[in-house]
Amino acid sequence: MAKLPWQEVAKTARDLRDESLSQVKPPGPDVPHHLPKDVTAIPRDLLTQDEVAITESLPEDLVLKLGSGKLTSAVVVNAFLRRASLAQKLTNCVTELLPEEALSRAKYLDDYYTKHKTPIGPLHGLPISVKEHLAMKGKGLNAGFVSWWDNKSEEDAHILKILWRAGCVFYARTTEPQTLMQLETSNNLYGVTVNPFNRDLTSGGSSGGEGALIGLRGSCLGIGSDIGGSIRSPAANCGLYGFRPSTYRLPTEGMAATMLSEEHIVAVVGPLSTSLEGIKLFMKVVLSAMPWLVEPSCIPLPWNDQESHLPTSSNKKLRVAVLWSDGVVKPHPPVTRALKEVTSKLQGLPDVEVTTWTPYKHDEAWEIIASLYFADGATEEMDAISASGEPWRPLSKFIIQENRYVKHLSIEEVWQWTGRREQYRRAYAKVWNDTATGTGKNGEAEGMVDVILTPVGPGAAPPLDQAKYWGYTSQWNLLDYPALVFPVSKVDPSVDKVEEGYEPMNEKDAFNHPADTREDEPDKYQGAPISLQLIARRYEDEKVCRRSCILTSSFRAFDRAGAESRALIPRALPNAPNGYTPEDTDCPSNRPVARSAADLSDSESSWLNTRRNKTLDPMQTLLQRINIPNFDAPSYIRNNAQNQSALPNIAIAASGGGYRALLNGAGAIAAFDSREENSTSAGHLGGLLQSATYIGGLSGGGWLVGSIFMNSFSTVSGLLNDPSSTVWQFQNSIFKGPDTGKIQLLDTADYFKTIEEQVSDKGDAGYNRSITDYWGRALSFQLINATDGGPGYTWSSIALADNFAQGDTPFPALVADARAPGDTVISGNSTIFEFNPFEFGTWDPTTFGFVPVEFIGSNFSGGVLASSEDCVRGFDNAGYVMGTSSSLFNQFLLQVDTTSIPDLAKEFVTSILDPIGQDNNDIADYSPNPFYGYHNSTSRNAQSSRLTLVDGGEDLQNIPLHPMIQPNRNVDVIFAVDSSADTDNFWPNGTALVATYERNLNSSGIGNGTSFPAVPDTNSFVNLGLNTRPTFFGCNSSNTSSITPLIVYLPNAPYVFQSNISTFTFDYNLTTRNAIVENGYNVATMGNATTDPQWPVCVGCAILSRSLERTNTPVPDACSQCFLRYCWDGQTNSTRPPLYEPSFRGQALKTSGAPYLHLHCGLGEAPFYEESTNALRFVDIVKEKVHTVDLGKGPSSHKILDVKGAISTTAHIEGKDDELVVGAKLGYAIFNRSTGALEYIKKVWNHSDGPGKAERYWVGCMNDPKVKAPTNEGALFRLDPDLSLHRVLEDLTIPNGIGWSADDTKMYFIDTPTRNIFVFDFDLPSGNISNRQVFFHYPDDQEGAPDGFAMDSESNLWTAICGGWKVLKISPKGEVVGEISLPTRMITCPAFAGTEMFVTSAEEEEPEKYPGSVEYGGSLFKVEVRVTGMPLHRFKQ
């Protein structure tokens, strides 16, 4: 090829890559134009369910299915080709795809299997991706250099030949960096490869293309190379397993690179995979081919990871040494956290001993290896770069041009440095040998450390062009120790805080811990994987892999169990065959049948054995923290660990009640979840969720439970706060649809159109539609983190999730009632149906049966499917199930014309009523009836081909207790969270408990052997205060004919917020949403035990109560006291109670809902109340406006006055109503309200804020921020009535609020950057100030800083916290005594108007970082505060 400009060569390379992508059929879907930082969820929403299932399978599972004919190679390869094409569009990780060659190979393999009924080899049909610089015959081989672009391979690399013979399929080649010597992947041919978990970060290098591709599951097994961390860095950055074997274990012939023949630092090839088993499979296959016979440099050492073969130091225990720091660069907080978490788990294993590894001269190790990397002075690299004229990439320049160790070495110098290498290796070996704890009979060392646990780098994946520290990986290349990387967790900015006051050890440490690190530094790494590596001695490769099994099984790596992450986790397995439309599929060999409800299902019984064991550790930890006095509860659990029937069996039930119930219940779940921040602190109850076996939901509580499980058992904080998600964004009404962007791309019209199309497709397929179809689809947009509300996500997919299958979550159940259209449901005649991950059915003696929930929609008759019938899948859509449990809301749709929802929504709802029919009102249609002809003698439902269900609360049993009180489940205690709206003002009054109790007493026998404790009537609940605090029911089990669960009743009550929002409120601003959650947290914890310090102890006693009875263990005295305090004593007071208006049980949060004026001011400031006209005015400094509103007439009277220049404060002038004196850009001016004219009377400079006092006008000034950042050039001026100007304070940066005490003896003033509110002695006659003191300092570790403020008539100071989402109320003593939370961050200034407070705000400065603040930024808010402000004065002239 004639020499072309490097840019043209690069264009050719990219065009050929894009051409290869275009050959994938069907074509890879387009990705969103605006990508979120985390793109890992996008392929799940753009591929088919089968493609997602295939590409997210582990390699060891795929080879089994391919080798047994359950999957064809063609289907598998094409699925990976389509996902790889998406991965390229999302991260730029591919140099070319090979669809033609790969599918031809797949066809050959499928034909071979068809003919021979056996696989061709151990990798039969498995797709494997390959780093570009490993030779493929006839393909380019550029190693990241533009000048090498036209190099072509004459044959396959040796290792590829071995894998080919084993039956694999090569389908993708991946990117690498210029020179290959980077821990990032950046070259001039293809550009930069980014991290799929956070596109602002690097995927690693030099095998970063493999890292990104496998991280996005565009591959499950790939080949990389490593000379300084090039396998391990991408594996760590992208949350994968990666293995750097010892040198000469695997063949390297056919690898393109500079310095190929040098032997002082030898590169290796190795695997990256989605699983540890994938790593081991790769090693076994390659070494079973005996590569040493072809490539003599390979050591003849077959793979043997049997325990008997592994090297041992005569340890009875595995000794793991932890390298906390290499002494050169200290790991970042997330890495240290990962080390602590894994170490903590290991310390709990009986066969593991953990010690500390002391680093030995790791700085010297870098000097040696860096000197040996480029023994020719990097001549070959420089020549390759200069040959094309391409520019040096930043990290190529760093490792070569800026590396002081890069020198052209003479042969003697090479010998010298190689000698130092060997000397260092001997010294390090001695350090390892010295860890021995004794000697054997023959004098051999015993008890040495087996493996070292270390970081893979200083932090998570670095920002682009910043990966400059190699020491944590290159160290082991120098020593030639095998190293295996494994994922642990993800960065969580709420936990992984910057280490305050850290002093770097050296220049490298300072680069990784910059002095100007901001508190929001962890936010840069949001969602980035955190990984560690395990190190063994040279040629102990099998040992490091085998021992990694012990480590990874001691904890749950983030990618295999999303519950460990505090961020929102996308669903792993949408498994419906055709989106929302049910579809006929082949039945499994064991065809589904209905079963009697006499026992638990085999699936649930098997799962229970796993789950009950998993609850032991968290239960011990919780009880240890609770610390019941004079009772060793953890020992009690341990002593009974082998007898599951003796152990406590815990359930949690979340009631219905719409969004109120979802949010209040979310607060309780958060309180019970040990993963939540501070939930395991004193007085909190974190760990109860992890100790629970069952969890149930109904209506809004069902949305809560369903949303948690549909998002891989995410935490409540993850569902609330994940910036990349649209779930739980309830400020957007369900009748409006989600905001566009993020994972959703629909406007309101498209939102309704999408729902209509999805439901219509179901109808076109022959299934009855009901209003619940539409309601359930709309709910899914708010509850499931997936494009278009995840139409392919089913309820049965919960059973397929790893965290559920492995017993790491409770068992979820939702309930609904059977009811024919037009019937009325009452407790005595309703059949209660249950949805759980395995089954759908009822325990009631009517139908008394269950069918597999995966196959509802199939045409069952008499409990079986005729042989001619297919199995329907996809009917159990998760949104439809959640909608069924909340179908009461269909009644709202039927009253649509009387509501205030948008006209577009009304048109949509009206359009669906005619074809469906008004008479279907609130039913959900489950036709064909899966219980048709089943138990004909007892089941009313058996006679109809149609089964219709309704909201599970329509029988008044608004808490889903029914699944938990079934005798077969043996539940001991139910934490019943009641968010019902029973009273006139939407608080609970025990109705749900009464209804369940009465149903169990029903003479019809509908209770069917269940037992429920006695409860009082609803009037007694209110009169006795049982609905204002927790109450235990069923404390004395001897009072019941059979053992009942103990009910811990947790009614919604106002602890910090009036959470009694109407059930039919459909939008909640983020502040209200969060306040209800916080209130629910306080309800569950009784204000974090501030209301009753013994509450946690009493919770522990409730957990243990039934277990103590079964084991005949005396009840601790502390528990007896708890039962006296919280158990219902049987008393009643059935008189009609007065209107129930509970008072706050804790310190109330004040919150503002939607704004009073929804504006978009650039910088709203200086609100001023004109009492004489009952009007409020405020300014927009940036947009040069004055806003006014008549408070008597309301928002409709809002007017905007244009100002001919920016002003920031206003004040009245005595006797001149048409004019205001204002603080303007250059000083004091007169503003004419009628004309907008601005006439300066005193020019001082720039200005900021300030009202007047004692007929004077005070204004603070600062430099113009449009010219330069604010400095301490500001000042505070005072203008007296005679227009004399006085400079009162100097050296200010951003002067802000100013005010006076009621007796005019004190003046308060804010200079925002100091975070201080200053107080001065004030002399009223002269206006002089003196004796400056700090009145209040806003904490440095909190968001925002004080801005404007107002004084109330009780001398409290109310200050806006700009950047902090709130206004603080500060007492005359300088203590925070109240808070107003607001739904936007940039709060600027409050003002009083009577007992109402009006608060201005500014547009959000960082919209990408704080998307929840954008909508209301620049708005005006109103809050009732029940106190008036200080009188305002007029300026006299």
Side-chain angles (χ1 to χ4, degrees):
M1 178 184 291
K3 183 174 180 180
L4 297 172
W6 73 266
Q7 296 92 337
E8 291 190 25
V9 177
K11 182 179 185 303
T12 301
R14 297 179 191 191
D15 287 346
L16 288 173
R17 176 201 61 202
D18 294 345
E19 173 62 23
S20 74
L21 265 67
S22 71
Q23 295 172 15
V24 175
K25 304 299 181 186
D30 292 331
V31 301
H33 181 67
H34 298 290
L35 293 174
K37 285 186 179 182
D38 184 347
V39 294
T40 53
I42 290 177
R44 297 185 180 102
D45 300 306
L46 296 180
L47 299 173
T48 68
Q49 285 78 21
D50 287 342
E51 287 170 335
V52 171
I54 288 170
T55 52
E56 296 191 357
S57 295
L58 301 178
E60 61 270 27
D61 296 333
L62 283 175
V63 293
L64 288 175
K65 293 178 180 178
L66 288 162
S68 62
K70 293 182 179 178
L71 284 174
T72 65
S73 181
V75 168
V76 172
V77 168
N78 206 56
F80 276 100
L81 281 167
R82 281 176 42 81
R83 191 147 187 166
S85 71
L86 282 176
Q88 162 57 28
K89 296 172 184 177
L90 296 170
T91 62
N92 191 33
C93 59
V94 169
T95 65
E96 64 177 320
L97 295 181
L98 310 170
E100 184 177 349
E101 298 100 315
L103 291 171
S104 175
R105 167 71 167 169
K107 183 178 184 304
Y108 169 80
L109 294 168
D110 290 339
D111 290 346
Y112 182 95
Y113 185 87
T114 299
K115 180 177 180 180
H116 299 284
K117 302 302 180 185
T118 187
I120 202 169
L123 299 179
H124 180 95
L126 183 71
I128 292 181
S129 52
V130 183
K131 189 177 180 180
E132 189 275 345
H133 79 127
L134 292 168
M136 283 189 180
K137 185 176 181 179
K139 302 295 181 185
L141 201 62
N142 59 68
F145 294 112
V146 174
S147 64
W148 289 16
W149 162 249
D150 55 354
N151 293 351
K152 292 290 188 291
S153 308
E154 296 183 358
E155 60 178 326
D156 290 339
H158 184 190
I159 196 167
L160 299 192
K161 293 178 182 178
I162 293 172
L163 296 167
W164 182 271
R165 289 195 295 269
C168 83
V169 180
F170 299 123
Y171 70 105
R173 306 182 75 205
T174 55
T175 53
E176 68 231 339
Q178 182 189 58
T179 76
L180 294 173
M181 296 295 286
Q182 296 183 23
L183 292 184
E184 298 191 15
T185 296
S186 168
N187 65 52
N188 291 314
L189 286 167
Y190 302 103
V192 178
T193 303
V194 297
N195 192 305
F197 291 90
N198 185 329
R199 286 169 45 84
D200 290 344
L201 308 178
T202 179
S203 65
S206 61
S207 309
E210 285 296 318
L213 180 65
I214 303 173
L216 271 170
R217 300 307 187 259
S219 172
C220 64
L221 183 61
I223 314 172
S225 59
D226 193 312
I227 198 172
S230 294
I231 289 173
R232 289 160 291 154
S233 161
N237 291 358
C238 299
L240 308 171
Y241 294 84
F243 184 48
R244 184 258 175 212
S246 302
T247 55
Y248 307 115
R249 286 298 301 269
L250 298 182
T252 58
E253 183 182 298
M255 183 168 63
T258 56
M259 308 174 291
L260 267 182
S261 299
E262 61 86 15
E263 293 187 331
H264 23 278
I265 302 295
V266 179
V268 300
V269 296
L272 297 90
S273 180
T274 54
S275 74
L276 179 57
E277 288 302 314
I279 300 290
K280 293 160 67 176
L281 173 66
F282 182 96
M283 296 298 295
K284 290 176 183 178
V285 168
V286 175
L287 290 178
S288 67
M290 296 185 288
W292 49 86
L293 297 179
V294 175
E295 196 169 322
S297 60
C298 291
I299 294 174
L301 187 61
W303 185 263
N304 190 338
D305 62 353
Q306 297 300 308
E307 188 68 38
S308 60
H309 171 74
L310 298 182
T312 179
S313 54
S314 304
N315 294 337
K316 292 182 178 180
K317 292 185 175 183
L318 172 68
R319 289 195 74 202
V320 179
V322 181
L323 178 71
W324 296 98
S325 170
D326 67 356
V328 183
V329 173
K330 183 177 180 179
H332 292 178
V335 177
T336 300
R337 172 169 63 84
L339 285 168
K340 290 179 178 178
E341 289 176 357
V342 175
T343 299
S344 176
K345 293 291 185 181
L346 292 176
Q347 289 171 332
L349 299 178
D351 298 325
V352 177
E353 178 186 335
V354 179
T355 186
T356 296
W357 185 267
T358 303
Y360 176 76
K361 298 183 179 180
H362 282 219
D363 52 347
E364 180 181 335
W366 174 249
E367 179 185 2
I368 296 170
I369 198 169
S371 298
L372 288 170
Y373 272 145
F374 304 99
D376 67 345
T379 299
E380 195 171 358
E381 288 80 9
M382 291 188 286
D383 288 348
I385 292 174
S386 63
S388 67
E390 65 173 303
W392 285 74
R393 305 298 290 195
L395 291 183
S396 299
K397 185 182 296 185
F398 160 75
I399 198 61
I400 293 177
Q401 295 181 339
E402 298 170 2
N403 184 352
R404 64 190 177 97
Y405 297 113
V406 174
K407 299 175 183 177
H408 195 294
L409 303 180
S410 66
I411 187 64
E412 291 84 1
E413 288 172 320
V414 171
W415 292 341
Q416 177 188 0
W417 281 108
T418 305
R420 285 192 62 181
R421 180 197 71 185
E422 291 306 298
Q423 182 181 9
Y424 184 81
R425 287 178 174 178
R426 286 192 297 272
Y428 216 91
K430 183 179 185 302
V431 171
W432 199 308
N433 295 338
D434 288 346
T435 64
T437 57
T439 55
K441 294 180 180 179
N442 299 319
E444 72 277 11
E446 287 188 337
M448 284 187 292
V449 161
D450 289 286
V451 288
I452 306 172
L453 178 66
T454 88
V456 191
L464 300 175
D465 297 329
Q466 299 300 306
K468 295 185 176 182
Y469 188 67
W470 294 33
Y472 282 103
T473 49
S474 63
Q475 173 73 24
W476 316 112
N477 294 83
L478 179 67
L479 295 170
D480 195 18
Y481 287 171
L484 188 136
V485 167
F486 57 91
V488 177
S489 185
K490 288 185 180 179
V491 174
D492 181 352
S494 69
V495 175
D496 302 316
K497 302 293 187 183
V498 172
E499 184 176 352
E500 297 291 341
Y502 176 67
E503 294 292 335
M505 298 179 282
N506 51 59
E507 184 178 342
K508 293 178 180 178
D509 199 24
F511 179 82
N512 285 277
H513 296 271
D516 60 350
T517 295
R518 292 157 44 114
E519 289 187 12
D520 61 359
E521 182 77 5
D523 293 335
K524 291 182 183 178
Y525 304 93
Q526 171 75 48
I530 309 169
S531 302
L532 300 175
Q533 64 180 334
L534 202 64
I535 309 297
R537 304 186 80 157
R538 195 178 192 192
Y539 297 121
E540 294 185 352
D541 300 51
E542 291 90 340
K543 182 176 185 177
V544 76
C545 287
R546 179 84 178 196
R547 298 312 180 216
S548 293
C549 291
I550 298 175
L551 265 73
T552 55
S553 65
S554 71
F555 67 96
R556 301 193 303 280
F558 79 88
D559 62 330
R560 296 280 291 186
E564 285 301 295
S565 172
R566 291 176 174 85
L568 177 69
I569 299 97
R571 277 291 291 131
L573 195 62
N575 68 329
N578 189 23
Y580 188 69
T581 303
E583 187 167 282
D584 291 348
T585 63
D586 293 337
C587 289
S589 56
N590 293 324
R591 294 176 66 83
V593 297
R595 72 165 185 90
S596 167
D599 298 296
L600 297 179
S601 69
D602 291 341
S603 297
E604 183 177 345
S605 296
S606 175
W607 178 89
L608 274 174
N609 289 329
T610 303
R611 176 59 182 170
R612 293 303 301 279
N613 288 328
K614 288 292 182 75
T615 64
L616 293 178
D617 286 346
M619 198 180 303
Q620 289 181 59
T621 301
L622 173 63
L623 291 171
Q624 183 171 10
R625 196 174 70 248
I626 284 173
N627 191 23
I628 299 173
N630 301 315
F631 183 73
D632 189 350
S635 292
Y636 174 82
I637 298 297
R638 284 193 296 273
N639 293 339
N640 288 282
Q642 302 306 312
N643 181 10
Q644 282 190 3
S645 64
L647 294 171
N649 190 3
I650 303 170
I652 300 168
S655 84
Y659 293 98
R660 177 193 65 251
L662 182 152
L663 296 170
N664 183 64
I669 297 300
F672 297 156
D673 190 345
S674 62
R675 299 169 297 171
E676 297 284 2
E677 186 175 8
N678 296 327
S679 69
T680 57
S681 302
H684 296 247
L685 297 174
L688 195 150
L689 178 64
Q690 283 70 25
S691 304
T693 306
Y694 292 97
I695 184 169
L698 182 156
S699 190
W703 306 346
L704 167 66
V705 173
S707 187
I708 288 172
F709 277 86
M710 284 299 108
N711 293 294
S712 291
F713 202 62
S714 289
T715 60
V716 167
S717 60
L719 291 160
L720 288 171
N721 300 321
D722 192 291
S724 65
S725 166
T726 57
V727 297
W728 291 28
Q729 299 300 301
F730 302 134
Q731 73 275 22
N732 304 314
S733 165
I734 198 168
F735 299 108
K736 174 188 174 186
D739 281 336
T740 58
K742 300 182 181 177
I743 204 165
Q744 309 293 359
L745 303 172
L746 306 177
D747 59 21
T748 300
D750 285 339
Y751 165 68
F752 290 127
K753 181 181 178 182
T754 298
I755 292 173
E756 170 62 27
E757 289 175 348
Q758 291 171 349
V759 178
S760 293
D761 287 346
K762 178 179 177 180
D764 293 344
Y767 294 90
N768 292 345
R769 293 173 298 156
S770 60
I771 303 178
T772 303
D773 283 289
Y774 297 91
W775 176 246
R777 292 308 310 128
L779 279 175
S780 296
F781 278 82
Q782 293 188 321
L783 302 179
I784 301 176
N785 185 39
T787 301
D788 295 348
Y793 291 15
T794 64
W795 192 254
S796 57
S797 71
I798 295 172
L800 304 177
D802 284 346
N803 50 15
F804 176 81
Q806 295 167 7
D808 294 323
T809 77
F811 186 93
L814 267 57
V815 300
D817 293 338
R819 201 205 76 185
D823 280 1
T824 300
V825 173
I826 57 174
S827 296
N829 73 357
S830 61
T831 297
I832 300 175
F833 280 84
E834 171 186 317
F835 297 87
N836 69 54
F838 300 123
E839 294 183 307
F840 164 71
T842 177
W843 303 95
D844 288 349
T846 49
T847 301
F848 197 58
F850 286 87
V851 295
V853 69
E854 180 180 7
F855 299 114
I856 55 175
S858 303
N859 196 16
F860 288 88
S861 180
V864 299
L865 282 176
S867 59
S868 59
E869 294 286 348
D870 287 330
C871 284
V872 172
R873 292 179 57 235
F875 194 104
D876 63 321
N877 175 270
Y880 190 58
V881 171
M882 290 187 281
T884 300
S885 187
S886 60
S887 63
L888 177 65
F889 287 85
N890 296 347
Q891 295 290 353
F892 181 87
L893 300 181
L894 296 170
Q895 305 299 322
V896 65
D897 287 333
T898 66
T899 68
S900 60
I901 67 174
D903 289 341
L904 189 62
K906 291 181 180 179
E907 293 173 9
F908 168 72
V909 174
T910 302
S911 71
I912 69 174
L913 293 179
D914 290 340
I916 290 179
Q918 296 274 351
D919 60 337
N920 274 335
N921 50 54
D922 60 346
I923 63 99
D925 201 322
Y926 280 76
S927 302
N929 176 11
F931 300 102
Y932 177 72
Y934 185 75
H935 289 173
N936 287 311
S937 61
T938 57
S939 175
R940 176 185 178 190
N941 299 314
Q943 311 307 316
S944 173
S945 61
R946 190 182 184 199
L947 176 64
T948 53
L949 305 180
V950 296
D951 190 303
E954 286 200 27
D955 60 0
L956 301 183
Q957 296 185 83
N958 202 35
I959 305 175
L961 297 165
H962 189 261
M964 316 306 174
I965 61 175
Q966 297 307 314
N968 289 328
R969 285 183 169 147
N970 298 305
V971 170
D972 289 330
V973 56
I974 305 172
F975 288 84
V977 182
D978 193 0
S979 309
S980 303
D982 303 322
T983 69
D984 290 342
N985 49 8
F986 312 127
W987 297 107
N989 67 2
T991 293
L993 296 188
V994 173
T996 300
Y997 175 57
E998 291 178 347
R999 186 178 197 268
N1000 277 267
L1001 298 179
N1002 193 290
S1003 59
S1004 68
I1006 192 72
N1008 200 29
T1010 57
S1011 182
F1012 194 78
V1015 297
D1017 60 274
T1018 58
N1019 286 349
S1020 295
F1021 263 92
V1022 177
N1023 290 327
L1024 300 177
L1026 304 181
N1027 64 334
T1028 64
R1029 62 172 180 83
T1031 305
F1032 298 171
F1033 294 99
C1035 294
N1036 189 347
S1037 63
S1038 63
N1039 288 342
T1040 58
S1041 57
S1042 59
I1043 299 297
T1044 71
L1046 178 68
I1047 306 298
V1048 178
Y1049 182 56
L1050 300 172
N1052 183 26
Y1055 273 76
V1056 297
F1057 183 71
Q1058 294 281 355
S1059 54
N1060 56 327
I1061 310 296
S1062 167
T1063 303
F1064 292 99
T1065 297
F1066 290 94
D1067 52 15
Y1068 291 69
N1069 67 61
L1070 299 182
T1071 304
T1072 300
R1073 179 197 71 170
N1074 296 344
I1076 298 175
V1077 173
E1078 184 172 348
N1079 190 75
Y1081 193 109
N1082 279 268
V1083 167
T1085 62
M1086 293 196 76
N1088 306 323
T1090 57
T1091 303
D1092 179 5
Q1094 294 304 306
W1095 173 240
V1097 170
C1098 295
V1099 169
C1101 293
I1103 291 171
L1104 290 168
S1105 177
R1106 295 293 190 258
S1107 176
L1108 296 175
E1109 291 180 11
R1110 286 194 297 275
T1111 58
N1112 295 314
T1113 302
V1115 176
D1117 289 342
C1119 291
S1120 297
Q1121 293 300 314
C1122 283
F1123 295 149
L1124 286 173
R1125 182 179 298 136
Y1126 286 104
C1127 290
W1128 177 53
D1129 59 7
Q1131 294 187 29
T1132 60
N1133 179 353
S1134 301
T1135 59
R1136 183 187 179 97
L1139 180 67
Y1140 177 62
E1141 295 182 309
S1143 57
F1144 280 104
R1145 297 178 63 81
Q1147 181 175 326
L1149 291 172
K1150 292 184 183 294
T1151 64
S1152 171
Y1156 181 74
L1157 292 177
H1158 189 181
L1159 308 172
H1160 292 286
C1161 293
L1163 176 53
E1165 271 282 10
F1168 189 100
Y1169 176 54
E1170 304 177 17
E1171 187 173 5
S1172 60
T1173 60
N1174 193 27
L1176 185 88
R1177 67 172 182 264
F1178 58 98
V1179 303
D1180 183 345
I1181 299 175
V1182 171
K1183 296 182 179 179
E1184 301 182 355
K1185 309 287 185 186
V1186 173
H1187 295 259
T1188 65
V1189 60
D1190 185 324
L1191 300 184
K1193 297 179 180 178
S1196 62
S1197 65
H1198 173 233
K1199 295 179 180 179
I1200 302 176
L1201 307 176
D1202 289 322
V1203 184
K1204 297 169 182 176
I1207 64 174
S1208 64
T1209 63
T1210 66
H1212 276 48
I1213 303 175
E1214 185 73 28
K1216 296 184 178 182
D1217 291 338
D1218 288 339
E1219 294 182 338
L1220 301 173
V1221 61
V1222 301
K1225 182 170 184 178
L1226 300 179
Y1228 292 90
I1230 300 298
F1231 171 65
N1232 188 296
R1233 297 203 217 197
S1234 301
T1235 66
L1238 202 65
E1239 179 184 352
Y1240 279 95
I1241 55 177
K1242 281 287 182 181
K1243 292 187 177 182
V1244 294
W1245 187 42
N1246 209 356
H1247 62 282
S1248 178
D1249 198 8
K1253 178 65 182 175
E1255 302 165 356
R1256 305 179 180 94
Y1257 194 17
W1258 302 68
V1259 170
C1261 302
M1262 57 182 283
N1263 62 274
D1264 190 339
K1266 295 180 180 178
V1267 178
K1268 64 177 180 179
T1271 64
N1272 63 343
E1273 302 173 50
L1276 177 66
F1277 292 90
R1278 186 188 77 231
L1279 182 68
D1280 286 349
D1282 61 0
L1283 299 188
S1284 61
L1285 187 65
H1286 305 272
R1287 186 185 291 259
V1288 180
L1289 292 173
E1290 296 183 323
D1291 299 326
L1292 305 176
T1293 303
I1294 305 179
N1296 249 307
I1298 190 169
W1300 287 263
S1301 61
D1303 60 4
D1304 294 328
T1305 62
K1306 300 291 182 184
M1307 186 184 89
Y1308 301 91
F1309 174 73
I1310 292 174
D1311 186 11
T1312 293
T1314 67
R1315 306 171 78 88
N1316 289 329
I1317 301 177
F1318 297 103
V1319 61
F1320 300 81
D1321 291 338
F1322 178 68
D1323 180 64
L1324 180 63
S1326 67
N1328 293 331
I1329 59 174
S1330 60
N1331 189 27
R1332 179 165 73 173
Q1333 303 289 327
V1334 175
F1335 168 69
F1336 173 78
H1337 179 76
Y1338 185 67
D1340 295 334
D1341 60 352
Q1342 293 190 23
E1343 279 191 304
D1347 202 299
F1349 70 81
M1351 303 291 296
D1352 71 23
S1353 57
E1354 299 172 359
S1355 294
N1356 297 299
L1357 184 152
W1358 300 68
T1359 181
I1361 303 297
C1362 190
W1365 308 81
K1366 59 191 173 186
V1367 173
L1368 292 182
K1369 179 183 179 182
I1370 302 170
S1371 74
K1373 295 181 179 180
E1375 299 171 346
V1376 176
V1377 293
E1379 176 180 314
I1380 300 173
S1381 297
L1382 294 132
T1384 190
R1385 194 173 69 97
M1386 306 302 291
I1387 309 304
T1388 55
C1389 192
F1392 287 95
T1395 61
E1396 294 174 331
M1397 176 171 284
F1398 288 83
V1399 185
T1400 53
S1401 65
E1403 65 181 353
E1404 175 53 54
E1405 293 179 346
E1406 300 179 81
E1408 292 187 359
K1409 185 175 180 182
Y1410 299 101
S1413 174
V1414 172
E1415 181 178 2
Y1416 293 145
S1419 294
L1420 178 74
F1421 300 90
K1422 181 180 77 170
V1423 185
E1424 172 62 53
V1425 292
R1426 298 180 184 176
V1427 65
T1428 58
M1430 292 274 286
L1432 299 177
H1433 297 265
R1434 291 174 176 249
F1435 178 74
K1436 288 189 176 180
Q1437 185 177 5

